[in-house]
Amino acid sequence: MSRTALLVTHTGRRRSTEHARTVAADLIAAGFEVRVIAEEAEDLDLPGVLPVSGATAAEGAEIVFALGGDGTFLRAADLARPAKAPLLGINLGKVGFLAEAEIHDLDLAVRDVVSRDYTVDERLTLDVRAEFEGGPTIESWALNEASVEKGERAQMLELMVDVDGRPLSRYGCDGVVCATPTGSTAYAFSAGGPVVWPEVEALLLVPISAHALFSRPLVTAPTSTFVITVDPFTTLAVLCCDGRRVYDLPPGARVTVQRGVLPVRIVRLRPRPFTDRLVAKFGLPVQGWRGGRS
């Protein structure tokens, strides 16, 4: 029975392309059919790979490799999620918080995949729907976050936020971030939200630069529903999902965010405590300025 892997990489970086060639060659040698995104095939210039395109690129794949930074990982997640394929991130970028392995682990990661020596976690996602008069309903999703933000730099955005069908607060702000625990270390973190361990099932709501007495970040049940309404008399807004899918929102638009029906399945090679990942990725000062503990 043939085995199939989809390879997604950042071909704009020479180093990423070279590592992608190595991974592809090793997988082909192990008996895998290796798919690559058609737009990336020419840059990879590797015989024996199968160029694919469209939303079904990962359909039937045993695993999806994402070689690059978090942006590459999120792009690969777009393809892996509907196919329910496990997604393995190899960090070739800077922080690479979503990646499971670093570049020095590349050979070991490929060997583990070939021998099926890995586990798979399911990460909570967001389903997002935007509705407004005179336009089509927008349906999207997010692994990290969905944000409603002002579309004009010089003006404040007026938003009404409802949680579970009840009004919470009206904000004059730069926007609002709705995040998953996975996304708690991304945009929501930069906006002042809490870090939430990925095993926790919850949703986060974080106002951005809100001109309000109450603008604390909120952590709600995973079953909660957020409704964000753009004030009819305010400026234009934009809806942004994972920093990748951006939609214009006119005044009066209504955005609904709730737990996604489909999770993202993430490969774990050497499971380790999230605390260790947090310390390593953010360079947290566990020694302190006084040095080690006596």
Side-chain angles (χ1 to χ4, degrees):
M1 183 178 177
S2 63
R3 303 173 69 183
T4 303
L6 172 65
L7 195 60
V8 180
T9 190
H10 191 322
T11 54
R13 295 176 180 168
R14 180 179 177 182
R15 189 176 66 139
S16 298
T17 303
E18 291 172 352
H19 290 310
R21 290 194 189 107
T22 299
V23 171
D26 289 347
L27 289 172
I28 290 171
F32 275 76
E33 174 191 82
V34 177
R35 303 175 188 171
V36 297
I37 303 303
E39 294 78 9
E40 301 173 357
E42 183 177 351
D43 290 327
L44 288 173
D45 189 26
L46 183 69
V49 299
L50 176 65
V52 293
S53 59
T56 61
E59 196 66 40
E62 177 181 319
I63 194 166
V64 176
F65 279 83
L67 282 83
D70 285 342
T72 302
F73 189 96
L74 291 170
R75 184 160 56 91
D78 259 345
L79 302 172
R81 179 178 178 249
K84 301 180 181 179
L87 175 57
L88 172 59
I90 308 292
N91 180 34
L92 306 182
K94 295 180 180 178
V95 178
F97 214 102
L98 295 170
E100 171 63 10
E102 301 297 323
I103 185 57
H104 53 76
D105 300 320
L106 188 57
D107 291 341
L108 179 60
V110 174
R111 289 200 298 270
D112 285 344
V113 168
V114 170
S115 62
R116 294 189 173 92
D117 186 16
Y118 60 85
T119 59
V120 178
D121 291 344
E122 290 193 345
R123 292 293 183 89
L124 183 152
T125 61
L126 302 175
D127 280 342
V128 184
R129 184 176 72 255
E131 301 167 287
F132 49 89
E133 187 176 350
T137 298
I138 296 168
E139 303 278 355
S140 192
W141 78 283
L143 171 61
N144 273 349
E145 75 282 312
S147 62
V148 177
E149 303 176 55
K150 63 182 183 180
E152 298 180 9
R153 180 178 177 82
Q155 297 188 38
M156 184 179 292
L157 187 61
E158 295 283 344
L159 298 175
M160 180 65 202
V161 177
D162 294 78
V163 178
D164 297 331
R166 301 299 301 164
L168 173 71
S169 185
R170 184 179 298 275
Y171 296 103
C173 57
D174 284 353
V176 168
V177 179
C178 304
T180 66
T182 300
S184 71
T185 53
Y187 193 3
F189 176 82
S190 299
V195 173
V196 179
W197 264 234
E199 295 84 3
V200 175
E201 294 205 332
L203 301 182
L204 285 72
L205 189 145
V206 185
I208 308 171
S209 301
H211 189 69
L213 292 177
F214 180 81
S215 59
R216 298 288 187 181
L218 305 177
V219 180
T220 72
T223 54
S224 288
T225 298
F226 303 145
V227 175
I228 302 156
T229 304
V230 181
D231 192 279
F233 305 103
T234 194
T235 183
L236 293 173
V238 293
L239 167 64
C240 186
C241 297
D242 281 342
R244 290 180 36 77
R245 297 168 293 278
V246 181
Y247 312 92
D248 291 333
L249 298 176
R254 177 184 172 96
V255 178
T256 302
V257 180
Q258 56 192 8
R259 181 178 187 158
V261 174
L262 285 177
V264 169
R265 305 181 69 224
I266 295 182
V267 170
R268 291 292 172 229
L269 299 175
R270 301 286 184 272
R272 59 173 176 164
F274 181 70
T275 306
D276 292 352
R277 178 181 293 267
L278 203 64
V279 169
K281 294 295 184 180
F282 284 157
L284 300 182
V286 293
Q287 296 298 326
W289 65 275
R290 294 179 184 272
R293 297 177 180 176
S294 57

